């Protein structure tokens, strides 16, 4: 699995795609304004959702595969597997599964009695059709395509069971099949041309796509024949309480928040940190669902000067004060992270000692590294070259608060001698800069369920660019010992051995000062006081509105 | 019965300055009073104050308009009598009619303001009014805009507009000034008709000759005061006030060639120019010059000869093609056919580069000289530029030559630091003459040089031109629509009508014994004082 | 017959202009760095395989030599075939059909409001005393100097967050239109007023205004019958430019008020290197400009037949 | 231009030139110095324009930002006007057919909304100060070129030049002595009008995230960054916006005082 970055357009809106499922409350925390727990669920009403991300170019998450697609697709498409509150993989559309001893054959049996929105029945044929749809180059899938990278052939055993022949053992396959980007849609629907399927994919979710008037809204309505794989006894009816959801796109943060305050919309995503911190006293509910996978972090390009010298990398870690910046900019809505992985990932380790703010230590290290002279503006110079760090920032990736944090780092690093040059770029130019290695520092949120994201980020193979020029190992880490650890961790079936291998791998990266972790990938939602039952999220921490209801 | 209009001690001031100072006069029904004076004399302000539109602070012992005490009239009350009992005809019909509205609508407005007729009745009344001023094809013309009508037709619309309200008092503010003589004659005839119908006519003008045709009584105004008033016969034949006399002297019609018009002329008795030598090469030879603009002809086979040292007067109404002819002679317009020979050498049609060195032999004077000066140049710089053929404008070497030129055109030398905008109309024209004479040209083309000037100023400029011609023997091509000026200034005359020269000959022959029927109609329309 | 000749000339001129715009965009967009095929596959970050990039190139004819691409491009344009948008995978014409009306609607309303405001201000300036004139003058100049994006934010703050009278975001209702239209209209009104006031003053001070007063008309009637027409003429001439400036303004206003429209797709199309979309938008806005210019010229000929020839 | 207007305009220009070149005189503090604990202070005695999300003083940044914004405004207008002078003069003095061709090209450039043209240029050159100047300059050039052309055409057919022809002046001397000097004054007025608009355009590009890179306190960038905290700290966007309006309005006033008639910019 690799990053999901599809060319999202326009202004703000952070995007990343993690993988975390929570059947019940999941790892997200909510604080509802009114004590909605005891309020009786009431059917009826259409929820108005306002997203700050750019409008997706296609509603079928197989095509491309970014977070805005996950947010909306989670309402009308379900995946084969998902994760429970403790983060363990559990079956969803699938009934049961087992893997051959050599790990090369994965058999999956789907539940009986589930129908797609176009009326066709869920059978093993759907597993085959969906995986082949992902692997077909014309689908132009990027996230889903990599998730099923290791599946060679699929054999249908009977009406509900299919066998997946793998090219190599892959203990992350179930995690990959719990993402919305590998969700299952009707094989009948997939036969239509891509534009038609993009406009209204036929899934199995509690809602279905009724219409999509571009740049205005995607209109979802209740799917009357919905069958929930996890039958919940005391629920009055199997179908959703809401009649439907109007999925709108309001890129301007201030307008989005104003619309929520004036009651024009019920739920908004990507709220600004200041509005999150004052949500409670404005009578607004707040859902915090940090995204799993990698943490938000700065990667230092160790393949070229000045960061080819570990002392310079360490000096950089101590030259900036990230914590005070986070507190003032994020209004304590984001916790400082010292780990390569999201706090949601059980196997993540953190090492605070590496990232203490210590200007004197930084100066000592830089002097030791030979950067002794200073030029007229106070920047350190060695053999005539100034200690300059090129830092391309994508306006689509980094929210304003994060951009201000980088500006604060820029100011703090100056007295120590670092000249940080921030360059705000649109997405296409940002990728161009990365592909041409024109960066010393970069912040690139990357998401994959589970610790296997480490292999993509730090294995030396990931320094080889794909045809499009894209590569994931921005820190350019090339350490054979680390490579072996990462490969073995993916092959073993023994959980404790897997944890131990990933622990050693993370320690190597932390000791090498290749990465400066910042905070979990932020994923906040604000909702008005008449919205109840919020909290249920998918494997990628995107909220599900099956249990949500509105005051009458 | 008491007078329709009675004014006693009228004063109108703008920000403290008195434009009209203690003016008194009366006007009875069926009578015509003329207020004569030059620009700045306050005659127009007086007229407008009779309609409460002077725009200044008005005070008077008595101001009675159509038996109403104007001093106590409120604005709505004024509006009731404006356009109905007292009317004003403005100078230039083109400016007095809104170019964006059909002329019929402009006339109908009077009825809308002062009548209760419905739409249909109003348009028939408008048609009647237009017919009464014998406007050809009124139905079509009514719907057209003023820009689509000829000068004559526009003037008739103005008069129709005045009549339709059946006014008691008609104020004609310079109503004939901008018109060709034949059209002016027509307007005067119609004003006379109004007088005979028992209406009171107040005529504002600076041209005593035209006024004399119509006015019963004349009041002469100067810088806000009435300096003299009396019957027309008294004013014309026994002028008491010095200013009235200068006005009378300044009228060129009937004054022999080179006789001075302004008392200030240096030589007193009229001098004759020595007879021109017949076989010397003429200054300017024009042979069947033709030019048409996008298919309709402006000038058709015009030809004449300008002997050395003499003046040829080219006369014709506006639109007769005289200016186009002048532009072709000056090489500013390419002729379609024909040729211009300057001092024996071909001048037009010719390549601009080739004829550039011939250009010093021919100069030009325009109607409003300000447009022909570079706004950033002072008087001295303009002349230095002319003297140095454009090489410099501040050269100190030309200081005394500039001073001599200024004296030659009777301008005060220490004017050289001033900008032309600060000079009066007459002074600007003298500067233009000085500039034209700087390269000492043999020929000078003057296109309506004095039409924009007041009569007294016009007199001084014409005398200057006479004197300069005698001193420098420059030949003049004098173009004008004013017959009296042409008669006074020209040795030879050419009459242009619709692009053709219909008649030409010596001034005496053309004015004494006109052959062409158009020339005859021109002469009958020419106001004669002597 | 004269009308036909005028129309012929207009259409001829328009075609030349559109051809120039199309060629400029064709060259301009190809100069933009980045591989168009990648744009088709969803931007340079896409993981599209070499094979997928190749068949995208052939499908969109990007592998042909540049000259034949140009003539193919022109041939399709003549048949009004703007090709398929790289990012939306739908024909550009269809997307324009959805996206253009709201922007044109917004621009027309903003133009109307700007005109009304300008006339009102010009009338007030005419009747106001010295101080009133100065105040009017200041208001005009400041209004013309206000950037759209600042005005939009301030209006939202004022009328939506603080006072709560108007919705912050377009919700299809009339109330949702008020703030976006005002944001676009105010700066333009400032501009038009300065124009109208100059021509109104000359008209009211003219000879024909004096003649009208002399016929007994009150100042207000003179304004209605004469001043209005003369004030409107120069502003009318500027409508073509005003409309295209409104289209530029729409990019910002539509983003702030979350309104669907040409503006938003314009920015995203350029950033995503969506060549067919950019070409479509450029040509459509050029066409809109030409139509508006032709309309205003026709109205101008109605009001002032003589003036139009000069 | 009345005397008081002259003095006021000179004062206005002097103030902004001073602010642009020696901002420390008016706002001695360092515009880039961060002080996170002081973030989001409302306007007060200590910070008359309040502080921003990183605790920087907004007043200091607005004053120091004058240099950046005015630099872009002036440079863009110079580029736009320079191009317009060449194109406009060429069209006005050229023979009929060339005039017609240039007019058609101008019409084409003019019909495309200027922001679209700016975006195309930025997409080609990438964001930043230089590209913003080129984008604003090029997109405003067609408007200016049309005005220059009409200005020079009226002068070319004026009686002044005809009189000079009659006096025997050559084409080159007519252009040098009369045409150019007289064309300059109204164009100067137009330039001042243009500067105001150029500052707004540059800010618009920064608003779309395509202008000056952080941490430069360019007004458009500050305004754009401030709008995300609109509800919490209105002063972050308000004061840079106010500075833009003051400069643009001032430039228009001076332009009109110089006799510049309002035409299509």
């Amino acid at each position: 699995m690799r990053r999901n970055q599809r060319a999202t357009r326009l202004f703000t809106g952070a995007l990343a795609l993690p993988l975390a499922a929570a059947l019940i409350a999941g790892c997200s925390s909510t604080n509802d304004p009114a004590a909605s727990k005891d309020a009786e669920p009431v059917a009826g009403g259409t929820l108005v959702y306002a997203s700050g991300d750019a409008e997706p170019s296609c509603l079928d998450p197989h095509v491309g595969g970014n977070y805005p697609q996950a947010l909306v697709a989670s309402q009308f498409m379900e995946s084969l597997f998902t994760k429970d509150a403790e983060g363990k993989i559990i079956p969803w559309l699938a009934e049961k599964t087992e893997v051959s001893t050599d790990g090369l054959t994965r058999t999956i049996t789907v539940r009986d009695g589930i129908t797609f929105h176009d009326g066709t029945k869920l059978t093993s044929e759907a597993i085959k059709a969906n995986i082949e749809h992902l692997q077909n180059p014309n689908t132009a899938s990027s996230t889903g395509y990599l998730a099923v990278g290791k599946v060679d052939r699929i054999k249908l055993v009977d009406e509900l069971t299919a066998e997946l022949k793998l090219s190599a053992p892959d203990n992350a396959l179930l995690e990959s099949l719990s993402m919305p980007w590998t969700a299952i849609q009707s094989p009948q629907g997939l036969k239509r041309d891509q534009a038609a399927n993009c406009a209204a994919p036929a899934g199995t979710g509690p809602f279905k796509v009724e219409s999509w008037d571009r740049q205005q809204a995607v209109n979802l309505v209740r799917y009357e024949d919905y069958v929930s794989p996890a039958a919940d006894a005391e629920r009055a009816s199997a179908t959703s309480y809401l009649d439907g959801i109007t999925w709108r796109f309001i890129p301007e943060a201030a307008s989005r928040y104003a619309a929520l305050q004036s009651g024009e919309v019920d739920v908004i995503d990507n709220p600004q940190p200041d509005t999150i911190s004052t949500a409670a006293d404005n009578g607004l509910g707040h859902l915090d669902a940090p995204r799993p996978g990698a943490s938000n972090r700065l990667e230092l390009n160790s393949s070229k000067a000045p960061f080819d010298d570990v002392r310079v990398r360490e000096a950089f870690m101590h030259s900036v004060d990230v914590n005070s910046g986070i507190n003032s900019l994020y209004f304590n809505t984001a916790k400082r992270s010292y780990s390569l992985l999201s706090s949601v990932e059980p196997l993540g380790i953190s090492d605070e000692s590496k990232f203490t703010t210590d200007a004197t230590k930084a100066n000592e290290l830089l002097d030791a590294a030979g950067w002794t002279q200073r030029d007229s503006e106070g920047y350190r110079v060695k053999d005539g070259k100034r200690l300059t760090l090129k830092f391309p920032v994508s306006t689509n990736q980094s929210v304003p608060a994060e951009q201000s944090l980088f500006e604060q780092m820029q100011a703090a690093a100056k007295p120590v001698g670092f000249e940080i040059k921030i360059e705000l770029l649109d997405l296409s130019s940002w990728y161009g800069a990365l592909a041409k290695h024109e960066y010393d520092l970069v912040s690139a949120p990357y998401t994959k369920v589970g610790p296997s994201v480490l292999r993509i980020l730090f294995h030396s193979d990931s320094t080889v660019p794909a045809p499009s020029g894209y590569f994931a190992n921005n820190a350019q880490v090339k350490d054979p010992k680390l490579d072996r650890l990462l490969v073995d961790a993916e092959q073993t079936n023994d959980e404790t051995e897997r944890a131990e291998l990933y622990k050693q791998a993370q320690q190597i990266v932390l000791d090498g000062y290749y990465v400066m972790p910042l905070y979990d990938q932020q994923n906040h939602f604000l909702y008005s006081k008449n919205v109840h039952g919020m909290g249920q999220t998918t494997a990628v921490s995107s909220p599900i509105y099956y249990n949500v209801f509105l005051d009458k | 019965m008491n007078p329709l209009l009675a004014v006693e001690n009228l004063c109108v001031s703008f920000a403290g300055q008195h434009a009209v100072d203690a003016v008194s006069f009366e006007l009875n029904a069926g009578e015509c009073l003329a207020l004569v004076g030059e620009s700045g004399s306050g005659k127009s302000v007086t007229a407008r104050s009779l309609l409460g539109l002077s725009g200044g602070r008005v005070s008077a012992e008595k101001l009675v308009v159509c038996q109403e005490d104007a001093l106590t009239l409120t604005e709505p009350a004024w509006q009731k009598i404006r356009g109905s009992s007292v009317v004003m005809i403005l100078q230039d019909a083109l400016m007095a009619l809104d170019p964006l509205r059909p002329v019929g609508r402009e006339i109908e407005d009077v009825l809308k303001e002062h009548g209760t007729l419905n739409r249909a009745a109003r348009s028939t009344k408008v048609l009647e009014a237009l017919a009464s001023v014998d406007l050809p094809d009124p139905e079509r013309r009514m719907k057209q805009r003023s820009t689509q009508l000829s000068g004559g037709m526009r003037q008739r619309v103005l008069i129709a507009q005045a009549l339709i309200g059946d006014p008691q008092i008609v104020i004609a503010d310079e109503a004939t000034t901008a018109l060709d003589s034949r059209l002016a004659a027509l307007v005067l005839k119609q004003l006379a008709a109004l007088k005979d119908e028992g209406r009171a006519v107040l005529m504002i003008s600076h041209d005593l000759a035209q006024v004399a045709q119509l006015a019963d009584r004349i009041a002469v105004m100067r810088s806000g005061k009435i300096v003299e008033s009396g019957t027309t016969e008294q004013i014309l034949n026994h002028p008491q006030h010095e200013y009235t006399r200068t006005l009378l002297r300044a009228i060129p019609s009937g004054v022999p060639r080179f006789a001075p018009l302004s008392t200030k002329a240096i030589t007193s008795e009229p001098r004759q120019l020595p007879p021109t030598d017949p076989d010397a090469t003429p200054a300017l030879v024009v042979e069947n010059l033709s030019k048409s603009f996008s298919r309709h002809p402006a000038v058709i086979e015009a030809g004449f000869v300008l002997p050395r040292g003499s003046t040829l007067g080219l006369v014709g109404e506006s639109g007769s093609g005289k200016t186009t002819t002048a532009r072709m002679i000056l090489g500013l317009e390419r002729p379609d056919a024909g040729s211009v020979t300057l001092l024996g050498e071909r001048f037009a049609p010719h390549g601009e580069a080739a004829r550039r060195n011939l250009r010093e032999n021919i100069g030009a004077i325009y109607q409003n000289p300000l447009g022909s000066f570079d706004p950033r140049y002072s008087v001295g710089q303009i002349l230095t530029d002319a003297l140095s053929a454009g090489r410099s404008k501040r050269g100190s070497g030309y200081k005394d030559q500039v001073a001599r030129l200024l004296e030659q055109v009777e301008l005060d030398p220490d004017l050289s630091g001033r900008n032309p905008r600060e000079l009066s109309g007459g002074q600007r024209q003298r500067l233009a003459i000085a500039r034209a004479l700087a390269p000492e040209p043999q020929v000078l083309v003057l296109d309506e040089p004095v039409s924009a000037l007041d009569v007294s100023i016009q007199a001084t400029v014409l005398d200057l031109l006479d004197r300069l011609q005698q001193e420098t023997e420059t030949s003049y091509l004098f173009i004008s629509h004013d017959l009296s000026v042409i008669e006074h200034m020209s040795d030879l005359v050419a009459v242009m009508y619709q692009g053709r020269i219909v008649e030409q000959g010596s001034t005496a022959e053309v004015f004494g014994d006109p052959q062409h029927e158009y020339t005859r109609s021109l002469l009958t329309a020419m106001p004669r004082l002597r | 017959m004269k009308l036909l000749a005028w129309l012929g000339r207009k259409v001829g001129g328009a075609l030349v202009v559109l051809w120039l715009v199309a060629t400029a965009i064709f060259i301009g967009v190809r100069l933009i760095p980045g591989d168009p095929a990648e744009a088709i596959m969803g931007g340079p970050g896409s993981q599209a395989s070499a094979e997928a990039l190749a068949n995208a190139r052939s499908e969109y004819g990007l592998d042909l030599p540049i000259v034949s691409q140009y003539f193919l491009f022109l041939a399709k344009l003549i048949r009004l075939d703007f090709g398929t948008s790289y990012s939306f995978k739908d024909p550009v014409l269809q997307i324009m059909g959805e996206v253009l009306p709201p922007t044109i609607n917004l621009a027309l309303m903003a133009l109307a409001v700007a005109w009304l405001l300008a006339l009102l201000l010009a009338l007030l300036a005419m009747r106001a005393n010295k101080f009133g004139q100065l105040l009017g003058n200041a208001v005009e100049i400041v209004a013309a100097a206000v950037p759209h994006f600042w005005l939009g934010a301030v209006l939202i703050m004022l009328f939506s967050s603080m006072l709560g009278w108007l919705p912050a975001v377009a919700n299809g209702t009339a109330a949702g239109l008020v703030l976006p239209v005002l944001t676009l209209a105010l700066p333009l009104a400032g501009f038009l007023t300065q124009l109208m006031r100059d021509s109104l003053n000359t008209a009211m001070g003219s000879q024909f205004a004096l003649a009208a007063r002399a016929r007994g008309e009150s100042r207000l009637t003179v304004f209605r019958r004469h001043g209005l027409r003369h004030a409107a003429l120069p502003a009318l001439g500027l409508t073509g430019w005003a409309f295209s400036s409104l289209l530029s303004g729409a990019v910002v206003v539509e983003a702030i008020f979350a309104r669907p429209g040409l503006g938003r797709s314009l920015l995203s199309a350029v950033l995503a290197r969506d060549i067919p979309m950019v070409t479509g938008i450029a040509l459509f806005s050029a066409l809109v400009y030409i139509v508006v210019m032709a309309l205003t010229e026709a109205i101008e000929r109605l009001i002032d037949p003589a003036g139009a020839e000069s | 231009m009345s005397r008081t207007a002259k003095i006021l305009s000179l004062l206005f220009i002097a103030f902004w030139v001073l602010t642009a070149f020696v901002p420390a005189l008016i706002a001695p503090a360092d515009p880039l110095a961060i002080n996170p604990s002081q973030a989001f202070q409302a306007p007060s005695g200590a910070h008359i324009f309040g502080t921003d999300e990183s605790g920087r003083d907004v007043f200091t940044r607005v004053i120091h930002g004058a240099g950046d914004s005015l630099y872009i405004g002036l440079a863009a207008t110079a580029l736009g006007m320079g191009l317009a002078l060449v194109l406009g003069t060429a069209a006005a003095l050229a023979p009929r057919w060339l005039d017609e061709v240039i007019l058609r090209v101008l019409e084409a450039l003019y019909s495309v909304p200027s922001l679209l043209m700016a975006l195309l240029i930025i997409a080609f050159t990438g964001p930043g100060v230089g590209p913003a100047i080129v984008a604003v300059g090029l997109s405003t050039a067609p408007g200016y070129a049309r005005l220059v052309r009409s200005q020079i055409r009226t002068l070319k057919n004026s009686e002044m030049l005809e009189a000079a022809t009659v006096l025997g002046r050559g084409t080159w001397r007519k252009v040098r002595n009369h045409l150019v000097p007289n064309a300059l004054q109204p164009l100067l007025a137009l330039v001042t009008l243009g500067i105001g608009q150029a500052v707004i355009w540059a800010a618009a590009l920064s608003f779309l995230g395509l202008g000056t890179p952080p941490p430069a306190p360019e007004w458009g960038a500050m305004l754009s960054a401030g709008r995300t905290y609109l509800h919490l700290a209105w002063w972050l966007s308000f004061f840079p916006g106010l500075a833009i309006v003051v400069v643009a309005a001032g430039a228009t006033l001076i332009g009109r005082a110089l006799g510049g008639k309002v035409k299509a910019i």
Side-chain angles (χ1 to χ4, degrees), chain B residues 206-379:
Chain B
H206 74 276
D207 187 336
L208 262 175
Q210 278 186 343
V211 152
Q213 322 277 326
L214 179 67
D216 303 315
R217 283 185 296 107
I218 296 176
V220 180
M221 281 186 75
R222 188 160 188 242
S223 34
K225 289 187 170 48
I226 293 188
V227 293
E228 184 175 0
S229 73
T231 64
T232 309
E233 193 278 335
Q234 256 172 340
I235 296 289
L236 294 184
N237 304 326
H238 320 291
Q240 306 303 323
H241 194 282
E242 181 46 35
Y243 180 64
T244 318
R245 272 197 289 279
T246 33
L247 280 187
L248 283 169
R249 272 172 65 87
I251 297 171
S253 67
V255 175
R257 187 99 169 74
F258 292 114
L261 296 171
S262 61
T263 51
K264 282 208 295 311
I266 297 161
T267 59
S268 58
E269 81 298 330
R271 279 196 307 94
Q272 290 311 330
L273 197 66
T276 52
D277 171 356
D279 46 27
T281 51
L284 194 65
V285 177
V286 174
E287 277 152 338
N288 49 52
L289 214 54
S290 299
K291 176 76 182 178
S292 42
F293 293 107
S294 56
R295 276 187 319 285
H296 43 75
V299 175
I300 308 154
E301 288 147 6
F304 52 80
V305 173
L306 173 58
R308 259 208 158 66
S310 62
T311 299
L312 184 133
L314 188 61
V315 65
E317 291 178 334
S318 52
S320 57
K322 16 193 231 297
T323 304
T324 314
T325 311
R327 287 175 62 83
M328 283 195 276
I329 291 169
L330 287 169
L332 296 174
E333 205 66 65
R334 251 185 100 65
D336 298 344
S339 71
V340 175
T341 316
L342 175 64
L343 302 168
E345 295 195 49
R346 162 199 274 282
F347 190 72
H350 206 14
E352 183 50 38
R355 75 172 156 218
R356 186 155 300 138
N357 40 40
L358 286 174
R359 281 209 175 269
E360 60 180 15
N361 300 322
I362 187 164
I365 308 284
Y366 299 93
Q367 177 167 5
N368 28 53
L370 199 56
S372 69
F373 298 133
D374 183 325
R376 296 167 40 260
Y377 281 39
S378 70
V379 169

Side-chain angles (χ1 to χ4, degrees), chain A residues 432-471:
Chain A
L434 260 56
K436 294 201 282 288
H437 282 261
E438 283 166 1
Y439 70 95
D440 295 305
L441 272 175
V442 75
S443 155
Y446 191 95
T447 307
K448 179 182 180 311
V449 172
S452 57
V453 69
L454 296 172
R455 185 177 60 74
I456 298 294
L457 287 179
F458 301 111
H459 193 287
S460 53
D461 295 350
S462 300
T463 55
V464 173
S468 66
Y470 168 72
F471 58 87

Side-chain angles (χ1 to χ4, degrees), chain B residues 49-117:
Chain B
S49 57
L50 303 179
L51 280 158
L53 292 170
S54 64
R57 223 167 45 68
V58 176
S59 66
E61 263 169 56
K62 197 159 121 196
L63 185 58
V64 169
V65 178
C66 303
Q67 279 82 25
E68 301 252 7
D69 176 0
L71 294 173
T72 60
L73 279 181
T74 60
E75 178 56 23
W78 265 120
Q79 282 170 20
K80 229 155 55 5
I81 62 169
R82 287 186 202 134
S84 56
S85 35
V86 57
V87 205
M88 177 137 68
I89 303 177
L90 287 170
Q91 175 180 353
D92 179 350
L94 190 60
M95 305 287 288
L97 292 168
D98 184 344
L100 300 183
R101 296 179 77 227
V103 288
R105 184 77 58 73
E106 297 257 285
I107 302 173
E108 198 187 344
D109 286 349
V110 179
L111 300 177
K112 272 197 197 145
E113 292 300 322
H114 302 291
T116 52
L117 303 170

Side-chain angles (χ1 to χ4, degrees), chain B residues 287-502:
Chain B
E287 277 152 338
N288 49 52
L289 214 54
S290 299
K291 176 76 182 178
S292 42
F293 293 107
S294 56
R295 276 187 319 285
H296 43 75
V299 175
I300 308 154
E301 288 147 6
F304 52 80
V305 173
L306 173 58
R308 259 208 158 66
S310 62
T311 299
L312 184 133
L314 188 61
V315 65
E317 291 178 334
S318 52
S320 57
K322 16 193 231 297
T323 304
T324 314
T325 311
R327 287 175 62 83
M328 283 195 276
I329 291 169
L330 287 169
L332 296 174
E333 205 66 65
R334 251 185 100 65
D336 298 344
S339 71
V340 175
T341 316
L342 175 64
L343 302 168
E345 295 195 49
R346 162 199 274 282
F347 190 72
H350 206 14
E352 183 50 38
R355 75 172 156 218
R356 186 155 300 138
N357 40 40
L358 286 174
R359 281 209 175 269
E360 60 180 15
N361 300 322
I362 187 164
I365 308 284
Y366 299 93
Q367 177 167 5
N368 28 53
L370 199 56
S372 69
F373 298 133
D374 183 325
R376 296 167 40 260
Y377 281 39
S378 70
V379 169
Q381 285 168 338
I382 291 173
L383 293 182
T384 312
D385 171 78
L387 288 167
S388 67
R391 266 187 297 286
S392 88
K393 60 179 183 182
R394 265 184 303 286
S396 52
Y398 297 94
K399 224 164 197 28
D400 42 21
Q401 275 179 291
V402 167
R404 216 168 10 15
L405 259 184
L406 287 175
E407 265 144 33
Q408 200 180 358
V409 290
E410 295 153 10
L411 278 177
D412 180 349
D414 44 25
L415 276 180
S416 76
R418 305 277 290 279
N419 185 292
R421 267 191 306 279
E422 299 156 37
L423 306 182
S424 72
Q427 289 171 320
R428 284 186 205 138
Q429 201 59 297
R430 289 167 187 275
L431 177 61
I433 294 170
R435 177 173 71 167
L437 293 182
E440 288 152 9
Q442 304 289 332
V443 177
L444 203 57
V445 176
L446 305 103
D447 188 356
E448 299 274 10
V450 291
S451 329
L453 302 178
D454 284 329
V455 172
S456 57
I457 311 286
Q458 172 180 301
T460 56
V461 173
L462 292 180
D463 286 350
L464 169 66
L465 286 172
D466 282 349
R467 184 170 58 73
L468 289 174
Q469 184 166 50
Q470 286 167 328
E471 281 167 13
T472 60
E473 286 188 7
T474 317
S475 339
Y476 292 160
L477 174 62
F478 198 102
I479 298 168
S480 173
H481 71 283
D482 187 331
L483 281 157
S484 50
V485 169
I486 289 286
E487 183 186 25
H488 171 64
M489 292 301 288
S490 324
D491 303 316
L492 304 166
V493 172
V495 180
M496 262 189 107
Y497 178 58
Q498 289 174 344
R500 285 180 198 285
I501 295 191
V502 292

Side-chain angles (χ1 to χ4, degrees), chain A residues 334-352:
Chain A
K335 212 165 72 47
R336 174 63 192 277
S337 152
Y338 298 101
S339 161
L340 301 179
L341 296 177
S342 157
S343 59
V344 168
E345 290 299 337
L347 303 185
I349 65 162
S350 66
D351 183 348
E352 187 164 352

Side-chain angles (χ1 to χ4, degrees), chain A residues 344-396:
Chain A
V344 168
E345 290 299 337
L347 303 185
I349 65 162
S350 66
D351 183 348
E352 187 164 352
S353 66
K354 297 269 184 293
F355 308 102
T356 56
T357 311
D358 183 349
T360 37
K361 193 159 197 329
N363 283 318
E364 278 159 24
L365 284 163
L366 287 176
D367 291 342
W371 293 87
T372 44
Q373 293 97 19
R374 296 256 182 170
D375 66 11
S376 55
E377 288 175 58
Y379 294 116
R380 285 177 179 271
V381 177
K382 179 170 141 187
D383 331 330
K385 228 168 99 9
R386 179 186 285 183
L387 184 54
T388 307
L389 305 175
K390 211 161 176 312
F391 186 3
V393 171
S394 153
T395 47
N396 305 80

